[in-house]
Amino acid sequence: MELFTPDLGLIFWMFVAFGILFFLLWKFAWPMILKTVDHRADLIDKGVEYAHEAQEQLKNAQQQSDAYMAEARRKQADMLREADKMKTQIIEEARSAAQTEAQKVMDSARLQIEQQQKEAQQQLRNQVSEMAIEIAGKVVKTQLENDKAQARLVGTLLDELESKK
């Protein structure tokens, strides 16, 4: 039972040993432990701060990425609009050039047709006049074969000339 009820001397020496141990720990070990704990707390705080900064940078990078993507989409839309305008302009220019060319071809064809018509009319007139001259020559030849017919023709022509005056 001695173990359960210690002596007063044992208690005294236990207090003295505890006091010396407490003094040594308080003087030498405790500052080192607090310094290490503080250093560790600073590292943790810095790590948290770095994590927040990294998170902010990530957000900024995401915003910049979104801004670049929006800018790229806007430029793409502008390029597509410009390409569409150019396509429309090229089509319109080609259409107007084709219309101009078609108009030139039609005008040229019309002019050729008119020239051919004039030539055909001229040929027809020449042929008709040649035929009329031939017919008139034959008629006059038959009428001028005798002297009475010649005198009658000359008289008729003179009468016509006098009546026109």
Side-chain angles (χ1 to χ4, degrees):
M1 258 326 216
E2 249 180 55
L3 290 175
F4 293 116
T5 57
D7 269 343
L8 190 55
L10 182 62
I11 291 176
F12 173 75
W13 286 114
M14 283 175 71
F15 272 124
V16 170
F18 177 74
I20 292 171
L21 182 63
F22 182 76
F23 177 74
L24 288 175
L25 287 175
W26 179 68
K27 187 71 173 166
F28 298 108
W30 191 255
M32 287 295 232
I33 292 172
L34 287 178
K35 185 177 175 185
T36 305
V37 169
D38 287 341
H39 181 66
R40 180 76 177 146
D42 288 342
L43 284 176
I44 291 171
D45 288 342
K46 285 180 184 178
V48 170
E49 187 177 313
Y50 289 145
H52 285 299
E53 287 177 10
Q55 192 175 23
E56 286 296 321
Q57 287 176 354
L58 182 63
K59 285 181 184 177
N60 289 339
Q62 184 67 32
Q63 289 173 352
Q64 283 182 333
S65 171
D66 291 343
Y68 289 144
M69 291 298 288
E71 180 69 18
R73 285 186 188 111
R74 187 187 61 77
K75 285 184 180 180
Q76 178 187 19
D78 289 346
M79 286 177 164
L80 289 174
R81 273 193 296 273
E82 188 66 30
D84 190 43
K85 285 180 185 177
M86 288 176 66
K87 177 188 83 168
T88 304
Q89 182 181 8
I90 290 170
I91 289 172
E92 286 300 319
E93 288 174 359
R95 184 176 292 142
S96 88
Q99 286 177 345
T100 304
E101 191 63 31
Q103 188 65 37
K104 285 180 183 178
V105 168
M106 288 175 61
D107 290 344
S108 174
R110 190 175 293 124
L111 187 62
Q112 285 179 350
I113 290 170
E114 287 174 4
Q115 284 178 337
Q116 288 175 354
Q117 282 178 342
K118 287 179 183 177
E119 288 175 7
Q121 287 174 352
Q122 187 63 37
Q123 286 177 354
L124 182 63
R125 283 182 189 163
N126 290 341
Q127 287 176 355
V128 168
S129 63
E130 285 176 12
M131 290 171 87
I133 289 173
E134 284 180 29
I135 291 172
K138 287 181 183 179
V139 167
V140 169
K141 187 177 181 184
T142 59
Q143 286 182 356
L144 295 180
E145 284 180 357
N146 63 30
D147 290 337
K148 284 185 182 178
Q150 287 178 0
R152 202 180 328 134
L153 180 62
V154 170
T156 308
L157 289 175
L158 287 175
D159 289 339
E160 284 180 13
L161 285 175
E162 284 179 6
S163 65
K164 285 185 180 178
K165 287 184 181 180

